[in-house]
Amino acid sequence: MPLLDIRNLSIEFDSPHGRIKAVDRVNLSINPGEIRGLVGESGSGKSLVAKAIMGILNDRWYVSADRLRYNGVDLLSLSAKERRKLMGREIAMVFQEPSSSLDPNDTVGHQLHESLPMDECDVSFFKRRKWREERIKAFLHKVGIRDHKRVMKSYPHELSEGICQKVMIAMTIAYKPRLLIADEPTTVIEAGAQDQIFKLFKKLNQLNEVSILLITHDLEHVESWTKTITVMYCGQTVESGYTKQIFKQPYHPYTMALLQSMPHFNAQLSRKSQLTALSGSVPSLQHLPIGCRLGPRCPRAQKLCVEIPKMEKVRGHYFSCHFPLTEQEGKKS
Amino acid sequence: MNTLLEVNNLTKSYRIGYRWLIPQYQRALGPVSFKLEEQQTLSVVGNAGSGKTTLARILVGAEQRTSGQILLEGEQLEVRNRQQRCSLIRMIFQDANTSLNPRMRIGNLLEEPLKFATDMPSKDREKEVYNKLRQVGLLPEHAHFYPHMISGGQKQRIAVARALMLDPHIIVADEALSVLDMSVRSQVINLLLKLQNEMGLSYIFVSHNINVVRHVSDQVMVLDQGKVIEFGDAEQVFNHPENDYTRKLLYNLGH
């Protein structure tokens, strides 16, 4: 049974032009111990999906779904109090821009103190301080911070983004969550530290069997770190399946375009030649096209594309397109 | 091929404080020497704090060098003469969202360098703005828009157009592609490559995305803590990296 099972999740909000579907019937499932990548450009609603899973969207957003189950429990029917219990303990989230999600007024050590699960503490009142310090030290070492003394004493602005991100991860794993949602964990981090963060996720996944939903805007990042990917465009699921399969043979023109925009994916491409690119840009939420939202930018679009295509399945590989790429076309590039 | 830009022993030091009333300096960059030819692209790669942004800023004149020589078409660039270089070397900034003034129309934004650096009459300036907008694949109507009315990819095109306004010979792009979405990024790469072919521009790319660097550049310079670690033909460096640091950098970035 999948750990997280989402079927037809829609997220809407009211605007002066009527109700707008920012996320339109997205399907997603994560098995225990799996790392799934969720890839999409900015404004494709991937962060919204993450927040909907956590239950931290505010009242302006209307979340509806045929199924939104975590470990067999329907999240949408839970009360706010019950949901809060899951939040942080079972499902944890690492936010974008770690240095701005940490409290700038407080030392990192103090913030780590606050985030420890005190119900696990079984020592007497007088030994608690020591116990906490030991735990924090252990967590910091676990995420690969060696000089824990300096880090605990410093304020978030004194540390680099990479270290801040590691501190955030240390906070989330203190409760030993079963599902970790990482929302663009590496976008603001320099290249060298990115690799460390991904390695850390991989280690958590293997040692503690944490399932991870890795949200990113860049396909390059997920290629070597994830087992399965879901690609989103403008709030619609475009394609999902095993990473290897998708990289070898994409069915959807959008995935194909993303892959082709990575120069190293295309080996025959000579240096300084023109890359294949989709024309136009991502539409804004106020001017979404009807039907398949890739429609106006898609090189294969036809009259039929004004209807939303159904999800199709080929060997465990889902895609939604009326005119998918055939096997030869997909392989040729 | 004639040499467009020649840099000899360029260094930059920052004063970090005093010790016994003697100023102490820390070298942030250099010594760096390279030559850039017409229609060539030089890429500067390195980790954060390696001095790649400092190099870019010195070249466009946003920062003063400590020592060294910059020769543009055989002519010395003086340390303080900004007028001289700001028309021949232009820069594209990292984030188009924040580098365009939100209170100005795009037409006025693009007109500004012409106002400051030339004495063109306003009719000609307008014509020039329209020309440049067409060149980067936008319409003359876009001149009446405000920056928030267009998309991220188009904003980056405006940033390119602004860099092109004074017909420069060299464009310095400081991480100009890393904030763009994937499908838009290849559009901008295509645009830059097209402009290079048409106008014979030279680029200096500062980037950490190795895959893009590999595609666009002729020469690559690898910096670490301000020192040049490896410099040479792009294919040579990428296929046979000689230095451990370069190898690590390549490996880190998904190879």
Side-chain angles (χ1 to χ4, degrees):
Chain A
M1 191 178 68
L3 186 67
L4 183 76
D5 187 9
I6 301 176
R7 191 147 280 267
N8 291 342
L9 172 75
S10 299
I11 303 175
E12 298 163 293
F13 69 99
D14 285 323
S15 79
H17 311 283
R19 192 168 276 198
I20 290 170
K21 265 189 181 174
V23 172
D24 188 15
R25 273 172 283 172
V26 164
N27 299 322
L28 186 77
S29 72
I30 301 176
N31 291 320
E34 188 184 45
I35 303 186
R36 180 174 277 270
L38 183 61
V39 189
E41 291 174 292
S42 59
S44 61
K46 48 197 193 319
S47 294
L48 282 176
V49 171
K51 284 180 182 166
I53 297 169
M54 282 294 280
I56 49 176
L57 282 174
N58 57 25
D59 296 341
R60 283 201 306 260
W61 299 89
Y62 301 95
V63 182
S64 60
D66 289 354
R67 209 157 62 209
L68 179 59
R69 285 200 180 146
Y70 170 76
N71 206 10
V73 184
D74 188 12
L75 289 177
L76 288 179
S77 63
L78 289 182
S79 69
K81 208 172 172 187
E82 287 169 317
R83 194 121 192 227
R84 226 190 134 77
K85 265 189 187 157
L86 282 181
M87 215 187 271
R89 286 171 194 248
E90 293 269 320
I91 313 173
M93 187 159 169
V94 179
F95 291 93
Q96 280 177 29
E97 291 190 47
S99 60
S100 58
S101 342
L102 289 169
D103 186 353
N105 287 321
D106 220 342
T107 57
V108 166
H110 193 247
Q111 293 180 52
L112 279 163
H113 265 291
E114 281 176 346
S115 64
L116 279 184
M118 284 316 287
D119 47 356
E120 277 176 30
C121 183
D122 50 3
V123 293
S124 73
F125 178 81
F126 300 101
K127 287 180 184 162
R128 273 196 192 160
R129 196 183 163 75
K130 179 104 196 218
W131 179 85
R132 277 191 189 143
E133 238 133 60
E134 290 291 311
R135 290 300 291 269
I136 291 174
K137 206 172 111 186
F139 282 128
L140 286 180
H141 282 247
K142 210 180 215 171
V143 296
I145 296 176
R146 279 194 212 104
D147 49 348
H148 57 271
K149 271 192 191 143
R150 185 182 68 89
V151 169
M152 277 169 70
K153 259 189 227 151
S154 39
Y155 287 89
H157 73 267
E158 295 171 324
L159 301 170
S160 73
E161 291 278 348
I163 297 202
C164 281
Q165 188 65 276
K166 284 181 188 170
V167 169
M168 291 284 289
I169 295 169
M171 282 180 181
T172 53
I173 61 171
Y175 276 100
K176 299 199 185 70
R178 289 179 65 193
L179 175 65
L180 184 68
I181 303 171
D183 191 359
E184 309 241 4
T186 57
T187 23
V188 288
I189 291 173
E190 70 202 66
Q194 282 182 2
D195 214 45
Q196 289 176 7
I197 300 283
F198 283 130
K199 270 185 194 148
L200 178 60
F201 282 137
K202 190 101 190 171
K203 209 172 86 189
L204 283 177
N205 175 257
Q206 281 168 349
L207 296 179
N208 303 3
E209 289 224 4
V210 185
S211 314
I212 296 174
L213 179 65
L214 192 65
I215 300 176
T216 167
H217 69 277
D218 216 335
L219 260 184
E220 285 168 65
H221 291 155
V222 292
E223 186 183 354
S224 45
W225 300 107
T226 57
K227 197 173 145 210
T228 51
I229 320 184
T230 300
V231 183
M232 282 178 74
Y233 178 76
C234 252
Q236 289 178 331
T237 342
V238 160
E239 195 160 0
S240 79
Y242 288 102
T243 312
K244 274 187 195 145
Q245 240 176 353
I246 286 184
F247 271 77
K248 211 168 99 195
Q249 220 251 296
Y251 284 106
H252 201 284
Y254 178 68
T255 323
M256 191 71 206
L258 281 189
L259 290 175
Q260 280 176 338
S261 74
M262 299 163 36
H264 75 287
F265 175 72
N266 207 337
Q268 304 103 314
L269 199 69
S270 65
R271 196 148 51 115
K272 285 194 155 188
S273 59
Q274 296 271 308
L275 299 168
T276 38
L278 286 177
S279 58
S281 56
V282 185
S284 64
L285 281 175
Q286 281 81 19
H287 305 283
L288 287 174
I290 53 165
C292 174
R293 290 179 177 174
L294 186 64
R297 298 179 73 190
C298 183
R300 303 166 71 87
Q302 291 179 35
K303 213 173 176 182
L304 197 61
C305 290
V306 294
E307 284 167 32
I308 295 176
K310 282 208 176 70
M311 269 286 177
E312 282 176 63
K313 184 182 174 186
V314 179
R315 285 181 234 117
H317 184 155
Y318 295 85
F319 58 92
S320 65
C321 185
H322 290 297
F323 308 102
L325 298 156
T326 56
E327 303 214 348
Q328 283 82 28
E329 281 173 312
K331 271 184 190 141
K332 195 168 57 188
S333 55
Chain B
M1 284 270 187
N2 45 340
T3 310
L4 194 59
L5 182 77
E6 194 178 336
V7 170
N8 295 323
N9 293 322
L10 186 76
T11 63
K12 172 78 191 172
S13 306
Y14 290 103
R15 195 171 66 206
I16 49 169
Y18 292 91
R19 201 172 172 200
W20 302 111
L21 295 177
I22 302 163
Q24 302 289 311
Y25 293 96
Q26 187 182 32
R27 183 165 285 190
L29 176 73
V32 177
S33 313
F34 64 88
K35 278 180 188 163
L36 183 65
E37 274 154 17
E38 253 173 55
Q39 252 191 336
Q40 296 273 304
T41 307
L42 167 77
S43 292
V44 185
V45 292
N47 271 332
S50 59
K52 50 190 193 329
T53 305
T54 313
L55 175 62
R57 287 172 64 89
I58 290 174
L59 288 177
V60 292
E63 228 166 292
Q64 286 184 9
R65 69 202 128 158
T66 309
S67 69
Q69 233 183 355
I70 304 176
L71 295 157
L72 185 66
E73 291 171 329
E75 220 178 294
Q76 277 240 32
L77 283 183
E78 291 154 38
V79 177
R80 285 190 181 77
N81 191 348
R82 300 215 176 99
Q83 192 90 44
Q84 178 191 12
R85 87 176 72 179
C86 75
S87 60
L88 295 174
I89 308 180
R90 305 283 295 171
M91 190 162 181
I92 306 175
F93 293 96
Q94 191 165 17
D95 192 354
N97 286 318
T98 50
S99 66
L100 300 177
N101 187 345
R103 300 177 66 163
M104 282 168 92
R105 291 207 187 94
I106 284 160
N108 300 2
L109 266 171
L110 295 181
E111 209 181 358
E112 231 169 27
L114 291 178
K115 267 190 199 161
F116 292 141
T118 64
D119 41 9
M120 256 187 216
S122 67
K123 266 272 162 52
D124 291 0
R125 285 204 300 255
E126 198 176 327
K127 217 184 264 169
E128 187 68 17
V129 167
Y130 292 161
N131 268 340
K132 287 289 168 348
L133 279 173
R134 270 198 213 100
Q135 224 163 24
V136 297
L138 296 169
L139 300 168
E141 284 91 79
H142 281 106
H144 306 293
F145 286 22
Y146 283 99
H148 73 262
M149 294 157 83
I150 55 174
S151 70
Q154 283 174 322
K155 272 183 212 164
Q156 199 65 5
R157 280 165 192 263
I158 298 289
V160 174
R162 183 167 63 172
L164 287 175
M165 274 332 279
L166 295 167
D167 294 315
H169 296 185
I170 299 171
I171 288 188
V172 179
D174 184 7
E175 302 271 5
L177 301 169
S178 49
V179 287
L180 294 175
D181 278 322
M182 285 184 82
S183 71
V184 179
R185 193 173 70 197
S186 40
Q187 284 174 19
V188 177
I189 294 174
N190 284 350
L191 171 69
L192 290 174
L193 290 173
K194 198 187 91 192
L195 290 172
Q196 183 163 51
N197 267 338
E198 282 172 5
M199 306 172 62
L201 292 169
S202 298
Y203 292 123
I204 295 176
F205 259 96
V206 176
S207 179
H208 63 242
N209 189 325
I210 290 285
N211 293 324
V212 171
V213 164
R214 188 174 203 157
H215 184 68
V216 297
S217 53
D218 299 291
Q219 288 176 302
V220 176
M221 180 191 286
V222 185
L223 287 180
D224 179 33
Q225 294 176 348
K227 294 197 175 58
V228 182
I229 282 196
E230 211 160 337
F231 178 62
D233 184 62
E235 280 308 297
Q236 182 74 29
V237 171
F238 285 126
N239 292 336
H240 311 284
E242 280 173 11
N243 198 293
D244 270 351
Y245 179 79
T246 318
R247 227 169 278 147
K248 212 171 141 198
L249 205 65
L250 289 176
Y251 173 75
N252 265 342
L253 296 158
H255 280 261

